[in-house]
Amino acid sequence: MTGGIGYRSDLKEYVINKINASEIAKEQKENDNINIFTGMEFSEGKKQFDFESLPDEQKAYLATLSSEELAELMKAYSENNDATYESNLQKLGVVDLENPSGINIYPINFEAKEKIASVIEEYNQKNRDEGKEENVITYSDIVGTMMNSVTAIIDVISYVLIAFVSVSLIVSSIMIGIITYISVLERIKEIGILRSIGASKKDISRVFNAETLIVGLISGLLGIGITMLICIPANIIIKNVVGVSNIASLPIIGGGILVLISVLLTMIAGLIPAKLAAKKDPVEALRTE
C-alpha cells in the first residue's frame, strides 16, 4: 500500500480482469506487431524521420496537410517510434496474474528475515549449480540495506569517538605522570628519612606505585558512578521524547573493565616517577629543604 488510500486485493483483481477483458486490450493482444494507438507497425528500432526517402505520393499528401495536421502526424510517428508491444500493454494496464513482475515479502522480525534470505540464497545456489540461471531469484533486502548503511555510519562515529577517547587517555596518563613526579620532588626529604630508617629502593617505589594505584582506582570508580547517575535522567528524557526506554545503560562487566583500565594506565604513568624516587641518594635527600 502506498499513499494515503488503501484498497483490498479483490478490488485490484477485479480492475485487472476488467482491463484484460476490454476490447482495446484484446485488439492489442491479437495484433502484436501493430500499434493500435496509431495503426502503424511497431518499428524495430528508433528511426529518424526522412522526408526525402518518402514516395512521391506520400510527399504530395503531406504537402496538402495543414500545420496542425502535420504536427499531429509527426507526434503520432514519434510515439510509434518509441512504442513497443510490451509498453502498449503496460500503458493499457494489462496484467498477467499468473506472471507477476515481483513479490513483496514482509517478515515478522529480523530472525524471520534472515531465514527467508538464507532460503532464497540456497535456492539460487542450487539453480546455479544445475546451470539454470533463468530460475535464479533477484531480490532486494531493503531493511538489510538500510541497516548496513546505519551500521556503517555508527561504526564511523564509533571510530571517531574511540580516537578522541584515546587522545584523552594519553593526555591524562601524561598528567598523572607529571603530578606523581611533582609529588616526588616535594617529598624528597621524606624519601631520605624513609631510606635512613631502613626502607629499600623497592619500598620507596612501592609507596608511589600504591599512590598511583589508589588514584586510578578512585578516579575509575568516580567515572563509573557519575556515568550510572547520568544514565537515569538520560533514559527518562529519551523515553519522553521518542518512547524508547533503557537505551542508556552501563553493564557491570564493562564498568569493571573500565576501572581496571584506569588503574593500569595510572600505574604505567607512575612507573618512571616511582623509579626516580627510588634512585634518590638518601644523604642528599636528607639535606633537601
Side-chain angles (χ1 to χ4, degrees), residues 82-99:
D82 296 332
T84 62
Y85 175 72
E86 290 76 14
S87 66
N88 273 12
L89 291 180
Q90 185 177 5
K91 184 186 294 185
L92 291 170
V94 176
V95 175
D96 184 4
L97 293 175
E98 300 299 326
N99 186 24

Side-chain angles (χ1 to χ4, degrees), residues 79 107 125 159 207 257-258 286:
E79 290 178 354
Q125 189 60 45
Y159 295 146
V207 170
I257 293 174
L258 291 175
L286 287 171

Side-chain angles (χ1 to χ4, degrees), residues 114-180:
E114 295 298 331
K115 290 181 180 179
I116 292 171
S118 63
V119 169
I120 295 175
E121 284 299 329
E122 290 175 2
Y123 172 81
N124 287 343
Q125 189 60 45
K126 179 181 178 182
N127 282 278
R128 291 191 187 99
D129 296 340
E130 295 176 356
K132 300 178 181 178
E133 291 292 334
E134 67 277 5
N135 293 336
V136 174
I137 298 174
T138 302
Y139 70 96
S140 299
D141 187 355
I142 299 175
V143 176
T145 303
M146 293 176 58
M147 292 300 295
N148 290 335
S149 301
V150 173
T151 302
I153 296 172
I154 292 175
D155 289 340
V156 172
I157 296 173
S158 299
Y159 295 146
V160 173
L161 292 176
I162 289 172
F164 280 114
V165 171
S166 300
V167 171
S168 66
L169 288 175
I170 294 173
V171 173
S172 62
S173 298
I174 294 173
M175 291 303 299
I176 290 171
I178 293 172
I179 292 171
T180 307

Side-chain angles (χ1 to χ4, degrees), residues 176-238:
I176 290 171
I178 293 172
I179 292 171
T180 307
Y181 181 68
I182 293 174
S183 177
V184 171
L185 294 178
E186 292 177 346
R187 297 161 62 187
I188 293 177
K189 190 169 185 178
E190 179 183 337
I191 294 171
I193 294 173
L194 291 174
R195 290 297 305 279
S196 65
I197 61 177
S200 64
K201 292 182 178 181
K202 289 185 178 180
D203 293 331
I204 301 300
S205 180
R206 289 191 187 107
V207 170
F208 289 96
N209 286 334
E211 290 181 358
T212 55
L213 185 147
I214 294 171
V215 170
L217 180 62
I218 293 175
S219 61
L221 291 175
L222 281 174
I224 297 301
I226 293 172
T227 301
M228 295 181 69
L229 289 175
I230 292 176
C231 285
I232 297 173
N235 284 327
I236 295 173
I237 295 172
I238 293 173

Side-chain angles (χ1 to χ4, degrees), residues 249-286:
S249 61
L250 180 64
I252 297 176
I253 298 176
I257 293 174
L258 291 175
V259 172
L260 290 177
I261 292 174
S262 174
V263 173
L264 181 63
L265 288 176
T266 52
M267 289 191 67
I268 293 173
L271 286 177
I272 296 176
K275 186 174 289 187
L276 293 175
K279 290 183 178 179
K280 294 290 183 181
D281 188 345
V283 177
E284 292 185 4
L286 287 171

